[in-house]
């Protein structure tokens, strides 16, 4: 009799655990995504600060074409519009190697080189949302499977 009661109690706990997992998965995705985007933004600002402190003081307008030819993720461009402050946004660029749109986080920052205004464009590749979702689903499926296997052997 106590074994049946134990099984009933364990089933309730396993069902409760599964519900908690199903509810927490989307929350886990949102928190992870937010932390990841914040870290990417910090990295972009660090790239900008390093450029301004280390490279910019000795930089000349004649160096721009050479710089852009050897740097894929930090480039100097003619300003399309007059930027007054930093702008960070997310967009997609075609990756020429795999011929696929990839998500990027982009920082545009106004800089002055020899008295002329330019735009510093720094970008960083992000993990695709589908890849992150697949990883989270796999993780939660493994946890769920272990719960169910544990229930089976009890």
């Amino acid at each position: 009799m106590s074994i049946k009661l134990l099984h009933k109690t364990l089933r309730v706990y396993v069902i409760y655990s599964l519900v908690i997992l199903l509810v927490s998965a989307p929350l886990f995705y949102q928190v992870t995504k937010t932390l990841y985007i914040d870290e990417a933004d910090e990295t972009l600002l660090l790239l900008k600060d390093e450029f301004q402190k280390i490279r910019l003081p000795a930089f000349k307008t004649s160096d721009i074409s050479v710089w852009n030819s050897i740097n894929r993720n930090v480039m100097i461009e003619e300003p399309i519009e007059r930027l007054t402050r930093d702008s960070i946004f997310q967009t997609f660029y075609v990756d020429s190697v795999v011929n696929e749109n990839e998500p990027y986080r982009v920082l545009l920052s106004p800089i002055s080189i020899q008295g002329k205004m330019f735009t510093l464009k720094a970008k960083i590749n992000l993990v695709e949302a589908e890849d992150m979702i697949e990883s989270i689903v796999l993780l939660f499926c493994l946890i769920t499977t272990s719960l169910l296997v544990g229930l089976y052997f009890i």
Side-chain angles (χ1 to χ4, degrees):
M1 175 118 124
S2 64
I3 292 180
K4 287 185 180 183
L5 182 59
L6 180 61
H7 280 242
K8 186 176 180 179
T9 304
L10 287 175
R11 277 196 181 96
V12 169
Y13 282 136
V14 167
I15 291 170
Y16 177 73
S17 298
L18 291 173
V19 169
I20 294 295
L21 281 172
L22 289 174
V23 170
S24 64
L27 181 64
F28 182 76
Y29 170 75
Q30 286 299 327
V31 169
T32 304
K33 181 181 169 187
T34 301
L35 290 172
Y36 184 64
I37 295 294
D38 288 347
E39 191 63 31
D41 291 349
E42 283 181 27
T43 302
L44 289 170
L45 292 170
L46 177 65
L47 287 171
K48 179 195 79 157
D49 289 343
E50 286 177 349
F51 180 83
Q52 287 181 333
K53 290 177 182 167
I54 297 169
R55 304 278 184 206
L56 192 57
F59 213 85
K60 296 181 174 62
T61 54
S62 59
D63 299 333
I64 293 174
S65 61
V66 174
W67 175 268
N68 287 342
S69 69
I70 60 175
N71 287 289
R72 178 180 170 181
N73 293 327
V74 180
M75 301 182 75
I76 301 166
E77 299 177 344
E78 293 283 335
I80 298 171
E81 58 184 54
R82 181 121 172 116
L83 285 176
T84 56
R85 60 187 175 99
D86 293 348
S87 173
I88 298 179
F89 57 94
Q90 188 166 328
T91 190
F92 289 86
Y93 289 104
V94 176
D95 186 346
S96 58
V97 176
V98 293
N99 199 22
E100 184 179 306
N101 273 340
E102 296 289 333
Y104 279 84
R105 208 61 187 156
V106 179
L107 165 72
L108 299 178
S109 180
I111 57 171
S112 176
I113 300 172
Q114 293 181 319
K116 187 174 179 191
M117 292 306 294
F118 290 92
T119 299
L120 178 71
K121 179 181 178 182
K123 61 184 183 176
I124 189 168
N125 195 339
L126 298 175
V127 173
E128 292 180 7
E130 297 85 19
D131 293 341
M132 190 181 298
I133 291 170
E134 285 177 13
S135 298
I136 291 171
V137 166
L138 177 65
L139 174 69
F140 279 75
C141 284
L142 289 173
I143 293 170
T144 303
T145 303
S146 65
L147 280 171
L148 294 174
V149 167
L151 177 65
Y152 178 76
F153 285 110
I154 291 179

